[in-house]
Structure formats: structure tokens, C-alpha cells
Amino acid sequence: MTHSDGTGRLTTHVLDTARGCPAGGLKIELFSVDGSARTLITTVRTNADGRADQPMLEGTALKPGTYELVFHAGDYLSGAGVELTQVPFLDIIPIRFGISDATAHYHVPLLISPYAYSTYRGS
């Protein structure tokens, strides 16, 4: 899907499937990946709707390549009052993906619970 003005963007959204609500306040880091090197691009916290207030990348900042979103699910779940084991089953969730078309909208949502997660390329 090409963005209407011809510039691409990367967005994300986090839903807490165990509690049935958006995951507000969850820390997300975005890295660019080149071989074994990872470079931090930005760090955000999700808003009350489980989204970043702005696209993670957009326009000329969005380039073809490999990226990684790192979701700090353990801190979020613990802060939300979810009872976790001493060593949480899920803590840091990295999702590595590729962008091939800098004019497209890449939406990488995360659905989380203490014992499972899923993602997909959304719209």
C-alpha cells in the first residue's frame, strides 16, 4: 500500500490480548540492522490507544533495509499488574523485518499476553 503523498511510513500498535485492551505505556525501540550491527533510531512509549504518537519512521528517513522493533513487554505486563513468574516467560520481544518499498506503509502490530505473542504486516 503506497501512502497517498508517495512517502512511506512505519507504524506499530500493541494490544494486550490477556486484558483485552491497548497496551499503553509500553516502551518500544527501533533499530536499523546491518549485518551484526544494530543502530538505535528512536525510542517511544505507546499512548493510551497502544500506538506511538507519530510514525516510527516516515518520508526520507524510511529506507529499504532491515529493521528491528524491540518491545519491552515484561516491564509493561508487570506495570499493568499482571502476575508474572520470577523470570518472566516473555520479557523483551524483538521483531526483525525488512522494508523493500520506501513509499509503502509498513504496519507492524504486536498482540501480547504473558505467555504468547503474535505479529503480522498490517495496514
Side-chain angles (χ1 to χ4, degrees), residues 36-104:
S36 62
R38 292 167 69 231
T39 303
L40 180 64
I41 297 172
T42 190
T43 302
V44 300
R45 285 202 181 266
T46 55
N47 59 25
D49 193 36
R51 300 177 186 274
D53 288 330
Q54 302 293 323
M56 302 292 289
L57 283 175
E58 65 182 327
T60 58
L62 182 70
K63 298 178 180 6
T66 303
Y67 295 87
E68 187 173 89
L69 285 166
V70 177
F71 298 87
H72 292 257
D75 289 345
Y76 161 77
L77 292 165
S78 176
V82 176
E83 190 173 324
L84 301 174
T85 55
Q86 185 175 359
V87 177
F89 180 70
L90 292 176
D91 187 12
I92 307 284
I93 300 173
I95 298 175
R96 190 168 288 192
F97 58 96
I99 289 179
S100 58
D101 179 358
T103 66

Side-chain angles (χ1 to χ4, degrees), residues 3 7 14-15 24 35 43 70 72 83 100-101 111-112 121:
H3 199 207
T7 60
V14 186
L15 297 174
T43 302
V70 177
H72 292 257
E83 190 173 324
S100 58
D101 179 358
L111 289 73
I112 60 168
R121 179 165 178 198

